Amino acid sequence: MRKIFTDIPNEKWYDWKWQLANRIMDVESLNKHFPLSNEEKENITKVLTKFRMAITPYYLSIIEQNNINDPVRKQAIPSIYETIIDPTDMMDPLHEDVDSPVPGLTHRYPDRVLLLTTHICSMYCRHCTRRRKVGDNEDSHFPKEQLEKGLEYIKNTPEVRDVIVSGGDPLTMSDNQLDWLLGEIRKIDHVEIIRIGTRTPVVMPMRITENVCNILKKYNPVYVNTHFNHSNEITEDAKNACEMMADHGLVLGNQTVLLRGVNDNPAIMKKLMHDLLKIRVKPYYIYQCDLSEGISHFRTPISTGIQIVENLRGHTSGLAVPHFVVDTPGGGGKVPVMPNYIISQSPDRIILRNYEGRIVTYNQPSVQKVSPAKAPDDIKKYYSKDGVANLVNTGNETVDYKKLAKEGPKHSEKQ
Ligand SMILES: *Cc1c(COP(=O)(O)O)cnc(C)c1O
Ligand code: SF4
């Protein structure tokens, strides 16, 4: 039950356009629904000179008032720590703008691209990685001509088989805009799957209507990756939104950001993973917090993430164990990090330890130098041509060792 906005009738409350139009964006309106001390008001005002605030009435309503440690509050309400720029902070830590062949499109990995569609989110996360862009003052979706350039690039790049539509939050676009964009992507033969990255089910679940589900469904296989960080966000409304999408055949995943004071605890994370599975969302990634500006107070040591995985793997369903990844600064891409399970190895044996700490031995095949069977000609293209995979694959004949020795293995010189 709502404790604030009690005078708003349900037909307004459950209308996403009302939620969007009534976002809380300044200190005075925040104070009206959510009493703040003078010091808090001053601090928030300071932060707002640098970073925007916007909170949907719905998301504000799930914060426990008078609890400064509320995990939802920390994600939505600015903290004075955001004014601290740590020496390690960066504007564009992931080099999304550098690895961008056309504005708004990042092509980092060989076979998939990230297509940004809008600067708008219904709620601006305090820990946002893309805060250099998201919520800039324009409050705009990208112009159609820019999206068309992105589409043109995908059309002309046959190795792209996976398009990740993100932003901002693409589900802030109208049903018609989404229908158009996804339709254009689907027209491209070599695109096999479409992914949508959206926080809408978490911060404005009323956006998930039958109508938008039917639009997304037309372009299946569509994978929707959402962004729950704490079990408190899994409300009845969020549950309904996720279940409606799953009922329309959309496959749901979740990307959690590891945040100090929000979810940097193995018990909180295990509960979150279980609660996600109950609403048919498969935990996909836990991200190490990026080096974006003004979010150093959210960062944990990487070892916290390793400890969290240690508390999950083996102790609970494999389905509840996401990959913990560090999206490496400078555009190195995501690197999975996990506890060490290999204790030692020789050509004959590999010594592993399981989740209980029991040491187990696996005898390796006695005939050494067996290479993996060669793939039939018609599927040879599935051998990776890049990086370390290229070095170990036996199906490739094209390794230029001299060049590799000079440059080190790296991805995709496009041939
Ligand atoms: C995260 C990301 C992807 C997708 O990576 P997956 O590991 O396939 O989920 C693609 N492009 C960019 C630029 C990304 O940051
Ligand atoms: S939903 Fe994503 S893009 Fe939008 S503010 Fe949050 S983290 Fe940033």
Side-chain angles (χ1 to χ4, degrees):
M1 272 309 285
R2 265 182 263 160
K3 294 213 179 80
I4 49 176
F5 298 100
T6 43
D7 54 330
I8 307 299
N10 271 349
E11 71 263 25
K12 272 192 184 158
W13 186 257
Y14 285 106
D15 173 357
W16 67 277
K17 294 198 168 135
W18 182 89
Q19 290 280 341
L20 210 52
N22 287 280
R23 295 185 298 170
I24 285 86
M25 306 210 269
D26 60 74
V27 180
E28 278 320 309
S29 8
L30 180 60
N31 189 48
K32 238 192 303 177
H33 306 286
F34 201 92
L36 300 163
S37 69
N38 282 340
E39 190 191 347
E40 280 173 324
K41 277 194 225 166
E42 269 169 41
N43 287 346
I44 295 172
T45 308
K46 262 187 224 154
V47 175
L48 295 193
T49 60
K50 191 154 165 74
F51 300 114
R52 269 186 79 174
M53 167 175 78
I55 311 170
T56 55
Y58 162 81
Y59 201 61
L60 193 70
S61 79
I62 67 173
I63 300 176
E64 190 192 326
Q65 302 225 353
N66 306 318
N67 176 5
I68 53 160
N69 290 318
D70 184 277
V72 178
R73 175 186 179 132
K74 288 194 172 173
Q75 297 177 63
I77 297 182
S79 143
I80 191 65
Y81 293 118
E82 290 176 50
T83 58
I84 299 172
I85 307 297
D86 190 88
T88 56
D89 287 1
M90 302 190 236
M91 274 288 278
D92 177 20
L94 307 180
H95 276 198
E96 289 183 332
D97 298 340
V98 181
D99 294 346
S100 181
V102 296
L105 183 142
T106 304
H107 191 179
R108 161 144 332 124
Y109 301 103
D111 66 342
R112 53 213 187 277
V113 295
L114 174 70
L115 179 66
L116 305 183
T117 54
T118 173
H119 292 295
I120 304 176
C121 292
S122 45
M123 201 283 292
Y124 291 116
C125 307
R126 301 329 300 171
H127 56 273
C128 180
T129 282
R130 296 201 187 110
R131 51 188 358 198
R132 70 186 185 283
K133 288 192 161 166
V134 163
D136 68 1
N137 290 324
E138 302 160 40
D139 227 355
S140 56
H141 299 307
F142 290 173
K144 198 167 177 192
E145 303 79 70
Q146 179 173 331
L147 292 176
E148 278 165 348
K149 283 200 188 111
L151 290 165
E152 198 57 35
Y153 177 86
I154 299 168
K155 239 176 258 171
N156 295 330
T157 316
E159 61 266 33
V160 176
R161 41 161 289 289
D162 176 2
V163 177
I164 300 152
V165 178
S166 183
D169 194 325
L171 292 189
T172 55
M173 294 196 289
S174 71
D175 289 2
N176 285 340
Q177 285 168 313
L178 267 174
D179 201 3
W180 170 79
L181 178 70
L182 299 180
E184 291 300 303
I185 297 173
R186 251 299 157 248
K187 279 187 202 153
I188 305 171
D189 274 347
H190 53 265
V191 174
E192 297 171 358
I193 62 171
I194 299 175
R195 289 196 253 179
I196 313 248
T198 174
R199 210 175 180 203
T200 294
V202 186
V203 296
M204 192 173 61
M206 37 296 276
R207 170 69 182 105
I208 309 303
T209 56
E210 285 285 335
N211 201 40
V212 86
C213 287
N214 282 325
I215 291 170
L216 297 178
K217 178 184 173 171
K218 280 198 285 182
Y219 307 110
N220 264 341
V222 173
Y223 290 75
V224 177
N225 257 329
T226 182
H227 175 179
F228 286 95
N229 290 328
H230 194 281
S231 291
N232 286 9
E233 296 170 327
I234 304 183
T235 62
E236 208 46 40
D237 292 328
K239 173 174 185 266
N240 291 340
C242 291
E243 289 183 342
M244 193 191 292
M245 287 193 282
D247 285 343
H248 284 77
L250 306 165
V251 185
L252 302 179
N254 186 68
Q255 319 200 114
T256 295
V257 183
L258 177 53
L259 298 170
R260 191 157 93 193
V262 174
N263 58 17
D264 58 337
N265 174 294
I268 289 174
M269 279 291 199
K270 194 193 278 178
K271 180 174 190 325
L272 172 64
M273 300 310 148
H274 289 177
D275 290 343
L276 286 167
L277 289 177
K278 287 194 275 185
I279 61 166
R280 296 155 76 186
V281 177
K282 162 81 183 82
Y284 179 52
Y285 281 142
I286 296 176
Y287 284 99
Q288 172 67 13
C289 189
D290 285 327
L291 294 173
S292 299
E293 280 193 338
I295 62 173
S296 57
H297 58 294
F298 279 125
R299 272 174 228 139
T300 64
I302 288 179
S303 56
T304 307
I306 295 176
Q307 189 188 349
I308 285 165
V309 177
E310 190 72 79
N311 191 63
L312 293 169
R313 172 61 69 195
H315 299 275
T316 189
S317 322
L319 281 171
V321 189
H323 300 282
F324 172 51
V325 293
V326 182
D327 212 340
T328 48
K334 300 175 184 69
V335 175
V337 178
M338 67 190 100
N340 292 323
Y341 294 102
I342 299 181
I343 289 189
S344 196
Q345 54 187 316
S346 71
D348 306 323
R349 280 186 172 173
I350 184 157
I351 314 301
L352 305 169
R353 62 93 175 175
N354 77 351
Y355 73 99
E356 302 160 299
R358 190 146 58 92
I359 294 176
V360 288
T361 303
Y362 176 89
N363 291 316
Q364 310 226 58
S366 53
V367 187
Q368 296 298 319
K369 292 194 180 166
V370 180
S371 38
K374 292 234 167 170
D377 282 345
D378 58 334
I379 63 160
K380 276 217 162 110
K381 64 172 184 180
Y382 287 92
Y383 284 117
S384 290
K385 299 274 185 292
D386 320 299
V388 181
N390 189 34
L391 292 178
V392 297
N393 282 347
T394 49
N396 291 340
E397 289 88 30
T398 55
V399 185
D400 182 344
Y401 292 101
K402 271 192 203 144
K403 190 157 157 252
L404 276 172
K406 217 161 63 199
E407 297 176 1
K410 70 172 211 261
H411 103 75
S412 224
E413 266 81 24
K414 280 179 203 75
Q415 276 123 6

